[in-house]
Amino acid sequence: MSLPKQRDPQGPYRVAVVCLGNICRSPMAEKVLRADLERAGLGDRVEVTSSGTGDWHVGGAMDPRAASTLRVHGYFTGHTARQFRPSDLEQADLVLAMDLDNHDEVSAAVAERGPEYGFDASRLRLFRSFAPGTGPNPEVPDPYYGGDDGFTAVLNMVEAAAKGLTDELDRYLGPED
């Protein structure tokens, strides 16, 4: 799978991860992806943000279960939830939705305001589509209403997808000059 072209070759490649409330899946994906990018030497060449399509948790911290799961596995957990805005399309090179509902929400924003920001549907994908062997609808399920094991399962999915995406970004960006 090839990545969309970088909109500003002089700046970082910008990845935005989107879920429903921005307290579980997308911040977990943001933290894991940032860590993988740092390990690959791409931390200063790729910018990662996360947001949610809903506004219930704006300004709040990450779900304690998500934070605990990340901490146990050695990831940074600082986070303040924010809501996805159509204007986010102005900067993003790639928007990654965690499930089909989030994809549909962002897709509606792309259809309505994307051209205004130079953003088209080819820049919108499912996050887990970067993990090998995920099938035709590679969603990351929402663990919010379940137990701790759901957060661990999400972390495993996110780690596989983040590794695949990091490998793609490494190939796309090539060696630093």
Side-chain angles (χ1 to χ4, degrees):
M1 166 184 317
S2 64
L3 292 170
K5 236 181 127 128
Q6 189 172 2
R7 296 168 68 155
D8 175 10
Q10 303 308 312
Y13 195 95
R14 292 184 167 97
V15 177
V17 186
V18 181
C19 72
L20 184 60
N22 193 222
I23 60 168
C24 298
R25 296 171 292 171
S26 62
M28 289 177 79
E30 175 188 353
K31 303 308 179 191
V32 170
L33 182 55
R34 282 185 180 181
D36 280 2
L37 291 165
E38 285 295 327
R39 281 191 289 272
L42 297 171
D44 61 338
R45 300 176 68 199
V46 181
E47 178 182 289
V48 183
T49 62
S50 67
S51 60
T53 56
D55 64 358
W56 315 278
H57 303 291
V58 170
M62 188 183 306
D63 182 288
R65 298 164 297 172
S68 175
T69 301
L70 286 173
R71 239 185 333 275
V72 164
H73 291 89
Y75 295 102
F76 176 72
T77 60
H79 176 73
T80 302
R82 62 179 286 275
Q83 186 175 16
F84 174 82
R85 298 175 308 268
S87 62
D88 291 343
L89 300 172
E90 185 173 14
Q91 298 297 318
D93 293 307
L94 179 63
V95 175
L96 299 171
M98 298 308 275
D99 65 32
L100 290 171
D101 288 338
N102 306 140
H103 187 280
D104 290 349
E105 288 273 336
V106 175
S107 187
V110 170
E112 183 180 333
R113 305 278 303 277
E116 175 183 336
Y117 298 115
F119 191 97
D120 65 62
S122 70
R123 295 182 177 280
L124 173 61
R125 310 238 177 105
L126 288 170
F127 184 83
R128 200 163 163 225
S129 65
F130 288 93
T134 55
N137 291 317
E139 296 182 276
V140 177
D142 192 344
Y144 186 77
Y145 293 104
D148 292 346
D149 58 335
F151 289 86
T152 301
V154 164
L155 178 62
N156 291 333
M157 291 175 200
V158 162
E159 286 179 327
K163 180 178 181 341
L165 178 54
T166 298
D167 290 347
E168 285 285 326
L169 285 162
D170 192 33
R171 282 190 291 276
Y172 175 81
L173 295 171
E176 246 182 309
D177 295 334

